[in-house]
Amino acid sequence: MTKILKFGGSSLASAELLRQVAALVRAALPDAPIVVLSASGKTTDALHAAARAAERGDVAVARERASEVRTHHAELARGLFGDSMPPELAAELDLECTALERRLDGVALLRELSPRSLDAIVSAGELLSTRLFAAWLAREELDCEWFDARRVLRTDARFGSAEPDVARIRELCERELGPRVRPGRAIVTQGYIGSTAAGVTTTLGRGGSDWSAALLGAAVGASEVQIWTDVEGVYSADPRVVPAAHPIAELSFAEAAELAAFGAKVLHPATIQPAIERRIPVTVRHTARPNGRFTTIRAEAASGRPLAGLASRSPVTLLTVTSTRMLAQAGFLARLFEVFGRHGASVDLVATAEVSVSSTLEPDAPLDAIRAELEPFARVDVVPDRAIVAVVGERLKLTPGTAARVLAAAGEVHIELISMGANEINLSLVVGREDEHELVRRLHAALLETDRPTGSPAR
Ligand code: ASP
Ligand code: MG
């Protein structure tokens, strides 16, 4: 069985971090690791900026950005190898940077940047980071192989946000990757990039390396997908708001999805879905604190705790539609949502009363247009600058009294709307934006600081 170890750009930003990552890979050697890397630091941003400058015909800026990328990798190499950089590595980095410069020149000449060309340009980031890292592992006398992810990560031709072909990826992995994987040896490959059936380079979209890791993990039947980053997992609340927030030891996929939807950062659940579907646990870990806490996300929750965590999002707009005549009539809600839908307003929470319906809308929803359509038959009240605070937990539905504890903890914070998610793992409260952080702190203190999650060592 193999493990996937994925490292994000922030974990690869300096020679010191690369050494740390190499130590983690060494420790994982018995697990036949497949190491999936992002581009180092902000390289992908620099490559985008270079491509956009070239498209404007601004050759000077394009070259400057490209030379920053070249210099950054030369510095990383110097930090690792000192004066004894392997000549093959120097040649590989030069080849990749030269190809990049030529592509940018081409774009500048034509002043035309197709999504396909952009993908070819930005793929340089992952190719450079993996070349450099594989060379460092070799220098450290680790048995390793650099592997071009494009040999197996088959996608369609929607450049910039390509759709992976899961069945084909699995076949290709069985043929190309599986035979290379064995205990004692590390495979080093790229996140984010793939290729079409015709062999043209594609990308999965910004931040796509997590998705690559999950896709590869699912395709090879890994025992774990490890996402190494710069936080100790998914937190019970935003630690900037709640200093006592702690990484959640165990999360179900549904809980992770709810927390992300309501504002938790870290990782986009959709990207880890391929692994979850195959029941492969996904862990989120801190590269600089490998022995610290971390979060394990599984298809089903194993924590046994009623609440997993809190997330909050603002601003949202609370819109209340009141109609004594219409509301009881069949089709009123359909009519209301048809108006929202036609104006592209996405609704998060809904609560209904006898003569009114309240919903939260994104702050950029076209409120005037919506109001104009609804006002002929209903009163419309719009309250901007609200916040949604979501209490998320798989066992919320099974634990009597949770709602009472939530409301008691809110104390005198004025709650304007309460909504129990249809999946019953999310209890959401709408409050004024000025009360958002206060409510999160109160709820965390009352509900999440009393008993520590099982499996999460106290500091
Ligand atoms: N390097 C890519 C990006 O910055 C992919 C990733 O980091 O996941 O978006
Ligand atoms: Mg990322």
Side-chain angles (χ1 to χ4, degrees), residues 6-9 37-45 48 122 125-126 191-193 205-211:
K6 180 264 169 176
F7 294 91
L37 301 187
S38 293
S40 165
K42 300 262 175 254
T43 301
T44 309
D45 291 341
H48 267 96
V122 298
E126 272 69 12
Y192 184 48
I193 69 172
R206 291 307 305 268
S209 296
D210 293 340
W211 201 7

mmCIF file of all heavy atoms in Angstrom, residues 6-9 37-45 48 122 125-126 191-193 205-211, ligand 1:
data_model
loop_
_atom_site.group_PDB
_atom_site.id
_atom_site.type_symbol
_atom_site.label_atom_id
_atom_site.label_comp_id
_atom_site.label_asym_id
_atom_site.label_seq_id
_atom_site.Cartn_x
_atom_site.Cartn_y
_atom_site.Cartn_z
ATOM 1 N N LYS A 6 1.199 15.156 -0.110
ATOM 2 C CA LYS A 6 1.117 16.346 -0.957
ATOM 3 C C LYS A 6 1.607 17.552 -0.184
ATOM 4 O O LYS A 6 1.181 17.783 0.963
ATOM 5 C CB LYS A 6 -0.321 16.537 -1.441
ATOM 6 C CG LYS A 6 -0.512 17.758 -2.327
ATOM 7 C CD LYS A 6 -0.990 18.950 -1.557
ATOM 8 C CE LYS A 6 -0.924 20.233 -2.365
ATOM 9 N NZ LYS A 6 -1.491 21.384 -1.619
ATOM 10 N N PHE A 7 2.504 18.321 -0.780
ATOM 11 C CA PHE A 7 3.031 19.519 -0.137
ATOM 12 C C PHE A 7 2.636 20.752 -0.947
ATOM 13 O O PHE A 7 2.877 20.816 -2.151
ATOM 14 C CB PHE A 7 4.552 19.428 -0.009
ATOM 15 C CG PHE A 7 4.973 18.324 0.924
ATOM 16 C CD1 PHE A 7 5.219 17.047 0.446
ATOM 17 C CD2 PHE A 7 5.076 18.555 2.294
ATOM 18 C CE1 PHE A 7 5.562 16.011 1.311
ATOM 19 C CE2 PHE A 7 5.424 17.525 3.165
ATOM 20 C CZ PHE A 7 5.669 16.258 2.672
ATOM 21 N N GLY A 8 2.056 21.716 -0.277
ATOM 22 C CA GLY A 8 1.638 22.950 -0.926
ATOM 23 C C GLY A 8 2.802 23.916 -1.082
ATOM 24 O O GLY A 8 3.882 23.718 -0.508
ATOM 25 N N GLY A 9 2.567 24.956 -1.849
ATOM 26 C CA GLY A 9 3.609 25.924 -2.163
ATOM 27 C C GLY A 9 4.301 26.510 -0.943
ATOM 28 O O GLY A 9 5.517 26.706 -0.932
ATOM 29 N N LEU A 37 3.834 17.512 -5.441
ATOM 30 C CA LEU A 37 4.246 18.866 -5.079
ATOM 31 C C LEU A 37 3.507 19.933 -5.870
ATOM 32 O O LEU A 37 3.234 19.771 -7.057
ATOM 33 C CB LEU A 37 5.746 19.062 -5.333
ATOM 34 C CG LEU A 37 6.737 18.142 -4.612
ATOM 35 C CD1 LEU A 37 8.161 18.628 -4.880
ATOM 36 C CD2 LEU A 37 6.463 18.071 -3.118
ATOM 37 N N SER A 38 3.228 21.040 -5.173
ATOM 38 C CA SER A 38 2.801 22.274 -5.833
ATOM 39 C C SER A 38 4.039 22.999 -6.331
ATOM 40 O O SER A 38 5.160 22.537 -6.126
ATOM 41 C CB SER A 38 2.112 23.207 -4.839
ATOM 42 O OG SER A 38 0.907 22.701 -4.391
ATOM 43 N N ALA A 39 3.817 24.142 -6.926
ATOM 44 C CA ALA A 39 4.934 25.013 -7.278
ATOM 45 C C ALA A 39 5.441 25.673 -5.993
ATOM 46 O O ALA A 39 4.689 25.859 -5.046
ATOM 47 C CB ALA A 39 4.456 26.066 -8.261
ATOM 48 N N SER A 40 6.716 26.012 -5.950
ATOM 49 C CA SER A 40 7.302 26.610 -4.751
ATOM 50 C C SER A 40 6.786 28.027 -4.509
ATOM 51 O O SER A 40 6.763 28.864 -5.421
ATOM 52 C CB SER A 40 8.823 26.643 -4.912
ATOM 53 O OG SER A 40 9.407 27.511 -3.959
ATOM 54 N N GLY A 41 6.393 28.290 -3.260
ATOM 55 C CA GLY A 41 5.999 29.651 -2.868
ATOM 56 C C GLY A 41 4.951 30.238 -3.794
ATOM 57 O O GLY A 41 3.922 29.638 -4.051
ATOM 58 N N LYS A 42 5.252 31.446 -4.288
ATOM 59 C CA LYS A 42 4.287 32.173 -5.124
ATOM 60 C C LYS A 42 4.604 32.037 -6.620
ATOM 61 O O LYS A 42 4.232 32.897 -7.428
ATOM 62 C CB LYS A 42 4.303 33.656 -4.746
ATOM 63 C CG LYS A 42 3.949 33.924 -3.299
ATOM 64 C CD LYS A 42 2.487 34.323 -3.173
ATOM 65 C CE LYS A 42 2.049 34.481 -1.745
ATOM 66 N NZ LYS A 42 1.192 33.387 -1.267
ATOM 67 N N THR A 43 5.291 30.952 -6.983
ATOM 68 C CA THR A 43 5.713 30.806 -8.383
ATOM 69 C C THR A 43 4.540 30.856 -9.368
ATOM 70 O O THR A 43 4.623 31.512 -10.412
ATOM 71 C CB THR A 43 6.489 29.479 -8.553
ATOM 72 O OG1 THR A 43 7.622 29.514 -7.689
ATOM 73 C CG2 THR A 43 6.938 29.288 -9.984
ATOM 74 N N THR A 44 3.438 30.168 -9.020
ATOM 75 C CA THR A 44 2.313 30.144 -9.967
ATOM 76 C C THR A 44 1.767 31.554 -10.203
ATOM 77 O O THR A 44 1.427 31.915 -11.336
ATOM 78 C CB THR A 44 1.199 29.201 -9.469
ATOM 79 O OG1 THR A 44 1.793 27.935 -9.135
ATOM 80 C CG2 THR A 44 0.132 28.986 -10.522
ATOM 81 N N ASP A 45 1.718 32.360 -9.139
ATOM 82 C CA ASP A 45 1.282 33.760 -9.303
ATOM 83 C C ASP A 45 2.217 34.508 -10.244
ATOM 84 O O ASP A 45 1.778 35.263 -11.119
ATOM 85 C CB ASP A 45 1.277 34.498 -7.951
ATOM 86 C CG ASP A 45 0.191 33.980 -7.023
ATOM 87 O OD1 ASP A 45 -0.758 33.339 -7.507
ATOM 88 O OD2 ASP A 45 0.306 34.219 -5.803
ATOM 89 N N HIS A 48 1.608 33.476 -13.813
ATOM 90 C CA HIS A 48 0.393 34.119 -14.345
ATOM 91 C C HIS A 48 0.678 35.567 -14.717
ATOM 92 O O HIS A 48 0.255 36.038 -15.768
ATOM 93 C CB HIS A 48 -0.740 34.069 -13.310
ATOM 94 C CG HIS A 48 -1.634 32.882 -13.470
ATOM 95 N ND1 HIS A 48 -1.471 31.733 -12.754
ATOM 96 C CD2 HIS A 48 -2.680 32.663 -14.303
ATOM 97 C CE1 HIS A 48 -2.394 30.851 -13.128
ATOM 98 N NE2 HIS A 48 -3.134 31.391 -14.062
ATOM 99 N N VAL A 122 2.134 28.079 -17.067
ATOM 100 C CA VAL A 122 2.096 27.931 -15.608
ATOM 101 C C VAL A 122 2.553 26.541 -15.137
ATOM 102 O O VAL A 122 2.937 26.367 -13.979
ATOM 103 C CB VAL A 122 0.720 28.268 -14.982
ATOM 104 C CG1 VAL A 122 0.360 29.716 -15.250
ATOM 105 C CG2 VAL A 122 -0.374 27.340 -15.482
ATOM 106 N N GLY A 125 5.915 25.840 -13.032
ATOM 107 C CA GLY A 125 6.103 25.919 -11.577
ATOM 108 C C GLY A 125 6.248 24.543 -10.939
ATOM 109 O O GLY A 125 7.180 24.295 -10.164
ATOM 110 N N GLU A 126 5.333 23.645 -11.254
ATOM 111 C CA GLU A 126 5.357 22.297 -10.673
ATOM 112 C C GLU A 126 6.504 21.483 -11.259
ATOM 113 O O GLU A 126 7.101 20.643 -10.572
ATOM 114 C CB GLU A 126 4.018 21.594 -10.928
ATOM 115 C CG GLU A 126 2.941 21.840 -9.868
ATOM 116 C CD GLU A 126 2.392 23.266 -9.820
ATOM 117 O OE1 GLU A 126 2.669 24.044 -10.757
ATOM 118 O OE2 GLU A 126 1.713 23.611 -8.841
ATOM 119 N N GLY A 191 1.595 18.169 -8.713
ATOM 120 C CA GLY A 191 0.170 18.439 -8.590
ATOM 121 C C GLY A 191 -0.237 19.373 -9.721
ATOM 122 O O GLY A 191 0.601 19.814 -10.518
ATOM 123 N N TYR A 192 -1.533 19.634 -9.841
ATOM 124 C CA TYR A 192 -2.054 20.741 -10.654
ATOM 125 C C TYR A 192 -2.051 20.468 -12.162
ATOM 126 O O TYR A 192 -2.946 20.881 -12.864
ATOM 127 C CB TYR A 192 -1.247 21.991 -10.331
ATOM 128 C CG TYR A 192 -1.632 23.302 -10.955
ATOM 129 C CD1 TYR A 192 -2.946 23.751 -10.963
ATOM 130 C CD2 TYR A 192 -0.658 24.131 -11.511
ATOM 131 C CE1 TYR A 192 -3.258 24.990 -11.514
ATOM 132 C CE2 TYR A 192 -0.966 25.370 -12.052
ATOM 133 C CZ TYR A 192 -2.266 25.801 -12.054
ATOM 134 O OH TYR A 192 -2.568 27.033 -12.585
ATOM 135 N N ILE A 193 -1.050 19.753 -12.676
ATOM 136 C CA ILE A 193 -0.963 19.606 -14.134
ATOM 137 C C ILE A 193 -1.416 18.228 -14.598
ATOM 138 O O ILE A 193 -1.348 17.242 -13.874
ATOM 139 C CB ILE A 193 0.457 19.914 -14.672
ATOM 140 C CG1 ILE A 193 1.472 18.850 -14.251
ATOM 141 C CG2 ILE A 193 0.918 21.283 -14.209
ATOM 142 C CD1 ILE A 193 2.836 19.035 -14.931
ATOM 143 N N GLY A 205 -6.901 23.945 -12.469
ATOM 144 C CA GLY A 205 -7.402 25.164 -11.834
ATOM 145 C C GLY A 205 -6.580 25.493 -10.613
ATOM 146 O O GLY A 205 -5.958 24.610 -10.018
ATOM 147 N N ARG A 206 -6.615 26.773 -10.207
ATOM 148 C CA ARG A 206 -5.782 27.234 -9.083
ATOM 149 C C ARG A 206 -6.034 26.384 -7.841
ATOM 150 O O ARG A 206 -7.167 26.040 -7.541
ATOM 151 C CB ARG A 206 -6.046 28.708 -8.776
ATOM 152 C CG ARG A 206 -5.582 29.699 -9.825
ATOM 153 C CD ARG A 206 -4.110 29.548 -10.229
ATOM 154 N NE ARG A 206 -3.155 29.592 -9.146
ATOM 155 C CZ ARG A 206 -2.552 30.689 -8.709
ATOM 156 N NH1 ARG A 206 -2.798 31.839 -9.264
ATOM 157 N NH2 ARG A 206 -1.662 30.624 -7.733
ATOM 158 N N GLY A 207 -4.959 26.089 -7.162
ATOM 159 C CA GLY A 207 -5.077 25.265 -5.955
ATOM 160 C C GLY A 207 -5.339 23.804 -6.267
ATOM 161 O O GLY A 207 -5.697 23.027 -5.382
ATOM 162 N N GLY A 208 -5.133 23.418 -7.519
ATOM 163 C CA GLY A 208 -5.539 22.077 -7.966
ATOM 164 C C GLY A 208 -4.696 20.917 -7.468
ATOM 165 O O GLY A 208 -5.038 19.753 -7.711
ATOM 166 N N SER A 209 -3.608 21.202 -6.756
ATOM 167 C CA SER A 209 -2.737 20.106 -6.329
ATOM 168 C C SER A 209 -3.400 19.152 -5.334
ATOM 169 O O SER A 209 -3.093 17.959 -5.333
ATOM 170 C CB SER A 209 -1.466 20.661 -5.696
ATOM 171 O OG SER A 209 -0.756 21.371 -6.645
ATOM 172 N N ASP A 210 -4.268 19.684 -4.489
ATOM 173 C CA ASP A 210 -4.976 18.796 -3.561
ATOM 174 C C ASP A 210 -5.808 17.783 -4.353
ATOM 175 O O ASP A 210 -5.880 16.609 -4.012
ATOM 176 C CB ASP A 210 -5.922 19.591 -2.647
ATOM 177 C CG ASP A 210 -5.183 20.505 -1.696
ATOM 178 O OD1 ASP A 210 -3.982 20.284 -1.465
ATOM 179 O OD2 ASP A 210 -5.817 21.444 -1.187
ATOM 180 N N TRP A 211 -6.422 18.285 -5.396
ATOM 181 C CA TRP A 211 -7.234 17.435 -6.259
ATOM 182 C C TRP A 211 -6.359 16.365 -6.916
ATOM 183 O O TRP A 211 -6.711 15.184 -6.937
ATOM 184 C CB TRP A 211 -7.941 18.298 -7.315
ATOM 185 C CG TRP A 211 -9.141 17.679 -7.929
ATOM 186 C CD1 TRP A 211 -9.744 16.495 -7.564
ATOM 187 C CD2 TRP A 211 -9.908 18.200 -9.022
ATOM 188 N NE1 TRP A 211 -10.842 16.268 -8.367
ATOM 189 C CE2 TRP A 211 -10.961 17.281 -9.266
ATOM 190 C CE3 TRP A 211 -9.807 19.353 -9.806
ATOM 191 C CZ2 TRP A 211 -11.914 17.491 -10.275
ATOM 192 C CZ3 TRP A 211 -10.751 19.563 -10.805
ATOM 193 C CH2 TRP A 211 -11.795 18.638 -11.046
HETATM 194 N N1 ASP B 1 0.545 25.828 -7.976
HETATM 195 C C1 ASP B 1 -0.884 25.839 -8.207
HETATM 196 C C2 ASP B 1 -1.482 27.113 -7.642
HETATM 197 O O1 ASP B 1 -0.789 27.897 -7.036
HETATM 198 C C3 ASP B 1 -1.576 24.632 -7.698
HETATM 199 C C4 ASP B 1 -1.551 24.442 -6.215
HETATM 200 O O2 ASP B 1 -0.723 25.045 -5.527
HETATM 201 O O3 ASP B 1 -2.361 23.674 -5.708
HETATM 202 O O4 ASP B 1 -2.649 27.349 -7.827
#
